[in-house]
Amino acid sequence: MPRRLSLFATTTRGTEDLLAAELTELGAVKIRQDRGGVRFAANLNEALRICLWTRIAMRVLYPLGDFAAEGAEGLYEAAASVPWEEHLTSESTFMVEATLRDSSEHNHSGFVGLKIKDAIADRLRARLGARPDVDTRHPVFRVVAHLAKAKLSLSLDLCGEPLNRRGYRVSPIVTPLKETLAAAILRAASYTGDEPLVDPMCGSGTFAIEAGLIARRRAPGLTRTFAVERWPHMGADATGTLVDLRREARAGERSAPHPIHGLDRQEEAVAAAAKNVAAAGLAEDVRIVQADASKPLPIPTAPPGVLVTNPPYGDRLKAGGQQGMKTFYFQLGESLGHLDGWRMVVLAGNAAFESAFHRRPTARRELWNGPIACQLLSYGPAHAES
């Protein structure tokens, strides 16, 4: 059995359990949920399968260590203590992405990233006789640094660009839902692709497209190149393995067995969603329609399926303020209440939604849509409601 690596997959807060379940299905072992992610073990083949198939993880990281890092000098010394020469060569390109949490000494991630960059370059110049170049667009290595108070965590990103960037968002609208969060919500809704799905307020189409990928059994990372394929000490093995994994993934695809609909009342959103659906190669599986969700939906409602949506929190319906939002949510509850037998999952970012929707959720979870604390509310089939 090839040596297993200790890895960390990041995810949206509130979806850690969903990612843990997905990683289990993909063959990871020693799984442990953590804040904002899941720790696990996998050999290179297993890790590459996860990179290719995970729908929920935003990054798959190879941790290099946790360090005490007091002040600017502490940052530099911690980063300089890592044996970077075991990973990079003088011909490698790299960049540093830094994030901060509860740091009293540093208030700018750019400064933290700069100190770590200098430490890496200086160590490699001393060990190899030359320093690698920084490339902020297409680096071979992405060094991910997280400073929490005075604890510095350093990792290498196996994937490169964050995994939520699927490549199909050619026509975004304002504040689109992250692809990985949409996939996590679909998992929370127990959507497997074997029943109809509708998003009556689809925006740029993210729920509908992610549902289409699930229904087609398409690996979300199928068309991308992963950073690890260019790593000097793993790249050849990784590329060979991925050739086989991609071939296997393509052979397992199918057409979506049931309709997937995305609806929106705004012409701009409908046009954007249609372009994104086409870019995802799902034009035969996902239908985009202009319609008002507060009125009966102009789509087949039998057989019943899953309704999943992210209704506006207030920015798209400014007229009337919060009272206008409550009225809209009430109308939405009236309209969607007629979907006999459908399960519903709603990402509610406005505290007024639940009472105005006037239906009792059967389950709820707290999660974050970017900086916004939300409730993911699940509703049983409509005919089961009193």
Side-chain angles (χ1 to χ4, degrees):
M1 172 71 70
R3 180 174 68 93
R4 283 202 162 103
L5 309 172
S6 296
L7 302 173
F8 181 66
T10 68
T11 191
T12 302
R13 283 170 55 194
T15 66
E16 292 90 348
D17 62 318
L18 301 170
L19 175 57
E22 180 189 62
L23 290 173
T24 300
E25 292 174 1
L26 292 174
V29 297
K30 297 183 179 178
I31 292 170
R32 180 167 59 87
Q33 295 178 43
D34 205 341
R35 176 190 171 103
V38 177
R39 300 189 183 279
F40 66 100
N43 62 38
L44 181 60
N45 289 15
E46 293 163 343
L48 292 171
R49 181 180 295 277
I50 288 166
C51 292
L52 185 68
W53 278 101
T54 180
R55 301 183 189 278
I56 300 173
M58 290 188 288
R59 294 182 182 275
V60 179
L61 302 178
Y62 180 22
L64 300 176
D66 296 326
F67 310 87
E70 295 283 353
E73 191 62 28
L75 278 174
Y76 181 93
E77 291 177 356
S81 70
V82 175
W84 298 103
E85 63 276 8
E86 295 179 5
H87 307 284
L88 285 75
T89 69
S90 57
E91 287 77 37
S92 300
T93 57
F94 77 101
M95 68 174 293
V96 179
E97 297 184 24
T99 56
L100 308 179
R101 178 166 60 86
D102 301 330
S103 174
S104 59
E105 294 188 340
H106 304 287
N107 56 15
H108 196 286
S109 60
F111 175 79
V112 172
L114 181 63
K115 296 301 291 185
I116 294 168
K117 175 189 73 70
D118 289 344
I120 295 171
D122 290 348
R123 173 157 182 142
L124 290 173
R125 182 189 291 112
R127 296 298 194 282
L128 305 177
R131 54 164 289 172
D133 290 330
V134 172
D135 182 347
T136 58
R137 297 189 64 187
H138 304 292
V140 173
F141 288 90
R142 285 177 186 258
V143 178
V144 178
H146 180 63
L147 183 64
K149 296 184 178 178
K151 178 184 175 182
L152 176 66
S153 300
L154 293 171
S155 304
L156 297 176
D157 190 334
L158 272 71
C159 301
E161 290 241 335
L163 291 170
N164 62 285
R165 298 176 188 170
R166 310 277 206 236
Y168 61 69
R169 202 186 293 283
V170 295
S171 186
I173 59 173
V174 177
T175 59
L177 192 69
K178 268 194 171 66
E179 298 88 333
T180 45
L181 176 56
I185 290 170
L186 289 169
R187 186 178 184 96
S190 300
Y191 176 73
T192 63
D194 293 322
E195 57 190 326
L197 181 136
V198 61
D199 178 0
M201 292 164 282
C202 71
S204 60
T206 309
F207 275 133
I209 294 171
E210 290 298 314
L213 296 176
I214 293 170
R216 289 202 63 139
R217 297 178 180 165
R218 180 182 297 167
L222 188 61
T223 60
R224 70 183 291 160
T225 299
F226 297 104
V228 68
E229 295 182 71
R230 297 194 290 157
W231 289 8
H233 307 303
M234 291 187 186
D237 290 341
T239 298
T241 298
L242 281 163
V243 167
D244 295 334
L245 289 174
R246 291 180 181 119
R247 183 186 301 117
E248 177 186 80
R250 290 189 181 96
E253 281 200 30
R254 64 174 183 176
S255 296
H258 292 281
I260 298 168
H261 285 93
L263 289 70
D264 204 284
R265 70 177 191 171
Q266 294 187 341
E267 186 175 347
E268 177 189 9
V270 169
K275 290 178 181 177
N276 294 335
V277 167
L282 295 172
E284 295 182 2
D285 305 282
V286 177
R287 300 173 187 130
I288 303 298
V289 180
Q290 186 168 4
D292 187 340
S294 64
K295 299 176 182 177
L297 305 183
I299 61 169
T301 55
V306 181
L307 182 147
V308 59
T309 197
N310 178 29
Y313 306 162
D315 55 337
R316 294 172 67 194
L317 292 171
K318 294 181 181 178
Q322 185 72 337
Q323 186 56 47
M325 293 305 304
K326 291 180 180 178
T327 300
F328 173 72
Y329 295 151
F330 177 85
Q331 293 171 342
L332 194 63
E334 291 287 291
S335 171
L336 301 184
H338 298 298
L339 290 176
D340 188 44
W342 284 65
R343 305 193 316 280
M344 301 185 194
V345 177
V346 180
L347 181 62
N350 185 321
F353 177 86
E354 185 175 347
S355 60
F357 193 62
H358 64 89
R359 296 185 68 192
R360 183 176 300 164
T362 53
R364 72 175 69 238
R365 75 163 60 222
E366 296 181 1
L367 50 74
W368 291 76
N369 181 8
I372 303 172
C374 298
Q375 292 280 329
L376 185 65
L377 304 174
S378 299
Y379 300 89
H383 64 263
E385 298 291 319
S386 59

